[in-house]
Structure formats: C-alpha cells, structure tokens
C-alpha cells in the first residue's frame, strides 16, 4: 500500500519553523481553514474541511509531498529548485519573496560573474549554484555549507557566496557586495503528482480558497458618490476587475460608484477621483475574490 492509499483526509505539509511559518498560517486562516494553534507541533486537524495540516521542517516539505505522505505542500521555490524534485507547482503564494544572490566581500577585486571562474563559492544551495554556473559556462568550486553562509568569506572558507537575500541589507551589514542574481523565489503551493490526479476535486477546492485570498490581498473595494454627469470621467479612472457598479442615489442626478482596484493604485487614484467629482470615497479591504 502506498502512502496515498487508504487515507481519507487530505494532507497539507507546511513549515513548522522559520520565516515561512507566520505568513503560511495567516494565509490558511484567511482562506477560512480553522485549526488549533496548540496543535501546531505536529498535525492540526482542520475543523471545516477534510484536511490535516502537517507541520514539518521547511526543508522536509518537498520530501513529504514527493513521497505521498502529504498531498499538498507549502515551501520556498528555492528549496524545490535545489532538490530538483519535479512536483507540480500549483501556485505562487505572494510571500517569502527572496532571491539567491552571488556576492563577494565589498573590498574584493572580483566585480562580475565571469571573475568568479576558479574561485570557491560557499552556499547552502549547492545544486542550484552548480547548475547556474555550469549554464553560464563558469567553472567554480562549490563549497556546500548548511548555515551562516554570509560569514564564509571572513572565515576564509570561500572567496564568494551564493545566499538568500530579500532586501540585500544583510549582505551589506556583513560587508558583502552582490554581483548577480542566481534565482528569484517565493512561497509556493506544490502537489504530489498522483494526488493531483486522484484527488483533483479536493485539491482544487484548497487551491481556489488560497487563490481567492491572494487575489483579494492585492485589491481594494472603492465606494464613492458623484454627480451622474461625471460618470464617464470617473469610469476612465477605474479600470477594475470589470466595469464599476453604478447605483442611482435618492438625490436626483447623483450616483454611487463601486469598483475593485489594485491596492497599489489607491493612493494615486484618490486625488484624481476627487478632482473628477467623486466625494465620500470609502476604501474597503476585500476578503476573497473568486473570478
Ligand atoms: P528559514 O526557514 O527561515 O531559513 O527560511 C526558509 C525559506 O524562507 C527559504 O528557503 C526561502 O524560501 C524563504 N525566504 C524568504 N526570504 C528569505 C531571506 N531573506 N533569507 C532566507 N530565506 C528567505
């Protein structure tokens, strides 16, 4: 019997430690899953969906999903690339963004990628690093280490590193200078290849719930009043999900306009809507969007 057979509840493996834990738990809760906080140690039974959430090491998520111990998993794209596992990637989740950067000490004579030929490169992502430099035709000596990659040059372990960064400030703080990006990454939802076929319906439900939250996070709901004669001007400013809803108001000649807009566009839009005649503008969060 394989790990997938004879089991009714769907299983989702998620990180139990590290920087992906909080945003992952927040995403699952925002999606409407209900599970106890105290159960986070190992398995949390979801109360409103036939789903068990397995909290495992971020690095082990891929193995759990690959072996069929879990049907779905949430992990960093960088980790999937590193293992080379060919798991179906269902969705990028909009958090955990980072890049794998090649960097050298700030005072190093090495300036560009080509300068790294023949040097030692320390990294916790040896396979990705090897593949990257091989594809670039640059022969480097990859030194695999499991942590504290940024101190490797200071310890004399390597002349360069390949490490994960989000803003790059940690590199600067450690006296390092980035010279190239090896990979960009964010948290992703992956599936077991067999489960994705055999349990397509349930997996689709989970994926839809997550995608509805992710879509909503990037958008806001705008409500405003305006003179009906200004509708055309206002509509031109509001390229939302679809055309805005227009509702007549009790006051003759006045309308209410409701529209969904990109969250990043809101602050630019507000003054323009005002000058185009809108008043009483409300900006509301959206919980979920299912297109
Ligand atoms: P952690 O368990 O905290 O070491 O991080 C696990 C995953 O978080 C990494 O494999 C990346 O996918 C992601 N991540 C996002 N931003 C960063 C960052 N600045 N440094 C390291 N990992 C990051």
């Amino acid at each position: 019997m394989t790990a997938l057979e004879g089991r009714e509840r769907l299983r989702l493996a998620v990180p139990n430690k590290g920087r992906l834990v909080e945003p992952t738990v927040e995403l699952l809760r925002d999606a409407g899953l209900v599970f106890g906080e105290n159960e986070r140690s190992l398995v949390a039974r979801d109360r409103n969906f036939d789903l068990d959430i397995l909290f495992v090491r971020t690095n082990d998520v891929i193995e759990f999903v690959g072996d069929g111990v879990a049907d779905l998993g949430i992990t960093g794209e960088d980790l999937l690339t590193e293992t080379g596992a060919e798991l179906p990637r269902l969705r990028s989740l909009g958090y955990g963004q980072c890049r794998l950067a090649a960097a050298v000490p700030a005072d190093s004579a090495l300036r560009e990628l080509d300068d790294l030929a023949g040097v030692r490169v320390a990294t916790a992502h040896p396979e990705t690093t090897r593949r990257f430099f091989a594809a670039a035709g640059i022969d480097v000596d990859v030194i695999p280490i499991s942590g504290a990659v940024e101190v490797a040059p200071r310890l004399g372990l390597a002349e360069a590193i390949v490490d994960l960064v989000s803003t790059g400030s940690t590199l600067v703080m450690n006296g390092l200078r980035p010279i190239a990006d090896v990979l960009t990454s964010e948290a992703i939802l992956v599936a077991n290849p067999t489960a994705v076929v055999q349990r397509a319906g349930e997996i689709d439900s989970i994926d839809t719930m997550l995608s509805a939250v992710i879509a909503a996070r990037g958008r806001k709901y705008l409500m405003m009043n305006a003179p009906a004669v200004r509708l055309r001007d206002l509509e031109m400013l509001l390229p939302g999900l679809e055309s805005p809803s227009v509702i007549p108001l009790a006051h003759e000649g006045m309308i209410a306009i409701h529209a969904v807009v990109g969250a990043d566009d809101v602050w630019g839009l507000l003054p323009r809507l005002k000058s185009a005649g809108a008043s009483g503008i409300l900006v509301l969060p959206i919980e979920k969007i299912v297109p």
Side-chain angles (χ1 to χ4, degrees):
M1 192 165 91
T2 71
L4 278 169
E5 287 168 28
R7 169 158 66 69
E8 282 188 9
R9 292 173 73 81
L10 201 71
R11 285 186 184 161
L12 166 69
V14 303
N16 68 349
K17 271 200 199 96
R19 68 186 79 221
L20 296 184
V21 176
E22 290 311 321
T24 299
V25 169
E26 193 183 334
L27 173 65
L28 299 182
R29 291 203 195 286
D30 286 353
L33 296 174
V34 180
F35 52 94
E37 192 76 10
N38 55 346
E39 292 162 287
R40 211 199 276 181
S41 49
L42 193 59
V43 183
R45 219 178 143 79
D46 187 74
R47 300 207 187 97
N48 57 352
F49 197 86
D50 281 340
L51 175 77
D52 285 336
I53 302 166
L54 313 188
F55 288 92
V56 302
R57 284 180 39 214
T58 310
N59 274 307
D60 293 341
V61 168
I62 293 155
E63 213 172 309
F64 273 65
V65 176
D67 292 350
V69 173
D71 310 288
L72 290 169
I74 291 180
T75 191
E77 205 174 343
D78 58 301
L79 297 172
L80 183 63
T81 305
E82 178 62 18
T83 62
E86 294 197 357
L87 298 180
R89 300 173 185 217
L90 301 189
R91 184 167 301 281
S92 294
L93 299 175
Y95 60 87
Q97 283 96 348
C98 56
R99 58 198 214 303
L100 199 53
V104 295
D107 57 4
S108 167
L110 307 167
R111 299 256 140 221
E112 304 171 11
L113 212 51
D114 284 341
D115 299 340
L116 298 189
V119 311
R120 294 172 303 167
V121 181
T123 182
H125 292 73
E127 292 310 320
T128 311
T129 302
R130 271 190 203 110
R131 282 197 294 264
F132 172 79
F133 282 103
I138 302 166
D139 193 20
V140 297
D141 184 10
V142 176
I143 313 280
I145 53 175
S146 59
V149 175
E150 65 282 359
V151 299
R154 246 180 291 151
L155 298 177
L157 258 174
E159 290 71 43
I161 63 161
V162 165
D163 199 11
L164 285 176
V165 295
S166 33
T167 58
S169 59
T170 316
L171 281 184
V172 174
M173 255 165 47
N174 282 290
L176 295 163
R177 167 165 47 82
I179 53 176
D181 282 350
V182 171
L183 178 93
T184 56
S185 169
E186 71 179 82
I188 48 170
L189 177 69
V190 292
N192 174 275
T194 311
V196 95
V197 178
Q198 289 184 353
R199 309 193 69 160
E202 294 153 276
I203 288 181
D204 199 44
S205 298
I206 299 272
D207 186 39
T208 302
M209 282 151 76
L210 299 183
S211 72
V213 173
I214 296 161
R217 283 179 173 172
R219 302 219 171 85
K220 295 283 179 200
Y221 195 75
L222 283 191
M223 295 164 65
M224 70 207 78
N225 294 341
V229 292
R230 308 300 299 270
L231 176 60
R232 267 201 101 111
D233 296 342
L234 288 163
E235 242 180 340
M236 304 247 290
L237 294 172
L238 295 167
L241 266 189
E242 44 199 51
S243 66
S245 310
V246 179
I247 306 145
L249 292 178
H251 286 268
E252 186 88 26
M254 289 295 286
I255 51 171
I257 303 173
H258 294 193
V260 174
V261 300
D264 291 341
D265 300 331
V266 169
W267 298 113
L269 261 177
L270 290 183
R272 297 169 69 202
L273 291 170
K274 240 183 137 214
S275 345
S279 60
I281 306 173
L282 302 184
V283 182
L284 304 174
I286 303 174
E287 196 174 307
K288 294 186 181 68
I289 297 178
V290 182

